[in-house]
Amino acid sequence: MRIFLVIDETRFYHPDFVAEFLRKTDCEVVGAALVQKVHPKNDLQKYIIRNWYRLRLKEMFVLGVRKVWYAVKDRFQDPTTSGSFYSVASVFKHFEINWFPVSYTINQAEHLSAIAALKPDVIISSNPLYFGKRLLKIPKIACINRHSALLPKYGGVWPVFQAVRSGEKFTGVAVHTMVPKIDRGVVLAQAAIPIQEGDSLSHLYKQCFAASAEVLLAALEKIKANDYSPANESDEVSYFTFPTAEQWKEFRARGGTFV
């Protein structure tokens, strides 16, 4: 099966997930798009900067140090000896995956033509960009998306934050078929991640991404078997944008922390 990847350059979580998937898959990865910029209104990093006053001093310090540390490690550490990656670009280089950069939208004609020329059977998405109807029709079989939540209850932005805010006992990761509506479609595979008292968002997202490769591989096995039976039992649908001031208060009241 021919696979094309559309991946966000999120250094904290994406690199090792993508590397694990590439190590384990028996599919042919024919190319990739690396999402390097998104519109400010959809950019989580810019949202955090705009809302810096909602973070605690320790959280701001640790996030800043981690960002610098990952950039330094990516520049100077050899993944062939360490086994760890600190950017998705480094993963693609290591596995010899041809890729092109994407900024703001992947629905440009030049991007669509480049993807279509590779004749993918499946396009795998793990990024915040919207897939237009033309892109959804390119793969022979389907576009599928990796999402850090147990769908369909927690669609949209920053779902783990919302799960903690709501007092859920579990969050998780889901892989679903893509349709014009965001974070809808059939959930092919998913894994639940328990939310323990004191768990930070960073810890929970790390767990979600650690489980993501296996969930993605399970979804691809179902596609190979032409099995599109839903893996989820809930029919409760919800969708979230960036947190409101009231949701921040609720998150903190639940003991929510970043790191």
Side-chain angles (χ1 to χ4, degrees):
M1 191 156 57
R2 295 171 63 84
I3 301 293
F4 185 87
L5 304 173
V6 185
I7 307 294
D8 183 23
E9 183 62 282
T10 305
R11 291 178 183 266
F12 293 170
Y13 308 113
H14 267 113
D16 284 336
F17 148 61
V18 177
E20 184 180 5
F21 170 72
L22 292 174
R23 290 188 192 104
K24 293 183 175 181
T25 185
D26 59 0
C27 297
E28 179 187 4
V29 179
V30 297
L34 184 58
V35 180
Q36 297 179 323
K37 295 180 181 179
V38 299
H39 287 291
K41 67 177 183 178
N42 298 322
D43 190 320
L44 178 56
Q45 181 172 292
K46 286 184 171 58
Y47 169 82
I48 292 175
I49 291 172
R50 291 195 303 272
N51 290 269
W52 62 269
Y53 54 90
R54 303 192 188 279
L55 273 64
R56 295 167 179 163
L57 183 60
K58 176 185 175 182
E59 293 170 339
M60 289 189 286
F61 176 77
V62 173
L63 288 173
V65 169
R66 281 185 181 176
K67 184 175 180 180
V68 173
W69 180 245
Y70 271 63
V72 171
K73 296 282 277 188
D74 183 52
R75 183 174 180 84
F76 295 107
Q77 182 165 295
D78 183 1
T80 60
T81 57
S82 68
S84 294
F85 295 87
Y86 296 90
S87 72
V88 179
S90 294
V91 176
F92 289 159
K93 180 180 179 180
H94 178 78
F95 287 92
E96 298 181 339
I97 305 297
N98 292 324
W99 62 276
F100 58 83
V102 174
S103 296
Y104 306 121
T105 179
I106 195 169
N107 297 302
Q108 295 179 7
E110 61 181 308
H111 296 332
L112 300 181
S113 296
I115 297 170
L118 295 171
K119 299 181 179 179
D121 296 307
V122 174
I123 295 176
I124 295 172
S125 165
S126 185
N127 74 94
L129 298 186
Y130 177 74
F131 279 31
K133 292 181 179 180
R134 288 180 60 194
L135 178 54
L136 292 174
K137 292 179 180 178
I138 286 177
K140 182 179 179 181
I141 300 174
C143 292
I144 60 175
N145 181 58
R146 189 218 65 85
H147 182 74
S148 294
L150 297 176
L151 293 172
K153 191 174 181 181
Y154 283 94
V157 179
W158 229 359
V160 177
F161 175 101
Q162 298 294 350
V164 172
R165 176 193 67 83
S166 300
E168 297 285 359
K169 294 182 178 180
F170 292 91
T171 184
V173 58
V175 173
H176 64 93
T177 59
M178 297 178 72
V179 295
K181 288 187 177 181
I182 298 173
D183 295 336
R184 300 296 295 272
V186 177
V187 177
L188 297 173
Q190 64 179 7
I193 305 295
I195 300 175
Q196 307 286 353
E197 184 177 354
D199 281 345
S200 67
L201 287 186
S202 175
H203 175 73
L204 290 169
Y205 268 107
K206 187 175 181 179
Q207 288 188 300
C208 288
F209 275 88
S212 290
E214 291 297 335
V215 176
L216 179 55
L217 291 166
L220 289 172
E221 287 302 312
K222 288 184 69 173
I223 289 173
K224 291 176 184 177
N226 198 32
D227 177 4
Y228 291 89
S229 58
N232 58 324
E233 298 178 356
S234 173
D235 58 359
E236 184 178 351
V237 178
S238 60
Y239 182 87
F240 296 93
T241 57
F242 284 120
T244 63
E246 184 60 31
Q247 289 172 340
W248 272 96
K249 291 179 183 178
E250 294 169 352
F251 172 75
R252 293 301 192 186
R254 293 279 187 186
T257 60
F258 275 77
V259 293

